[in-house]
Structures are given as structure tokens and as C-alpha cells.
Amino acid sequence: MKGIVFTKFMELVEQQFGLEELGAVLSQAEDNGVYTTVGSYDHRNLVKPIVQLSQRTGISPQQRQRIFGQSVFHNLYRTLPSNSSL
């Protein structure tokens, strides 16, 4: 999985819950949080922080993933060059 997905997840957690909560989630997931947008990483490294965030917020992992998926889709869509023929 590309690192941009990981960095967008961390941005979303920080925006919604704050930097301290992001740090706590990463710590509990035993994740150092160091990802580059162009790197490739094991998708399981993203599951751990999602599960930790779910436990800390009381929002199911499935709902948390849905929220994140919608957010990251919109963010990635905005990065596409505009194309008047679409």
C-alpha cells in the first residue's frame, strides 16, 4: 500500500482528535509513524492504528475505515488534474 494512504490517515486523526491522540494511537499500535508518501508498506501496518483508534473512540473499526476511506478518496480526487472531457 502506498505511503500516501498512511500519511492521510495520520493527518485525519490529527485533525479530528489532535496530535497527542495520534501519538497515543501510534504508540499503542507499536508504530513509529514514519512513512513517506511514495513508499510502499504492508497494509497490516495501517490496520493496527485503525483498531487502536477504534478502541480509544468507541467507533467500530468498520465505521472508522469507512470514514477514512471517504476522506482519503476525496483528498486523492482533488489531486487529479482537471480534465474538461470528463
Side-chain angles (χ1 to χ4, degrees):
M1 180 177 292
K2 284 300 186 188
I4 192 166
V5 177
F6 289 79
T7 59
K8 291 297 180 185
F9 173 75
M10 290 189 286
E11 287 175 11
L12 180 66
V13 174
E14 184 179 349
Q15 289 171 355
Q16 289 186 348
F17 302 102
L19 188 56
E20 286 183 31
E21 185 66 18
L22 173 60
V25 165
L26 292 174
S27 177
Q28 288 180 337
E30 299 177 348
D31 188 322
N32 62 15
V34 178
Y35 299 99
T36 65
T37 58
V38 295
S40 294
Y41 306 94
D42 189 324
H43 74 280
R44 291 174 287 202
N45 292 350
L46 186 60
V47 173
K48 292 176 189 177
I50 288 173
V51 169
Q52 289 302 320
L53 182 61
S54 173
Q55 291 174 353
R56 294 178 64 83
T57 61
I59 300 170
S60 74
Q62 295 82 5
Q63 182 63 21
R64 179 58 48 208
Q65 289 176 50
R66 191 173 298 114
I67 292 166
F68 172 61
Q70 290 170 346
S71 171
V72 78
F73 175 81
H74 291 297
N75 285 327
L76 293 175
Y77 183 77
R78 283 194 294 263
T79 66
L80 295 173
S82 63
N83 187 338
S84 60
S85 66
L86 293 178

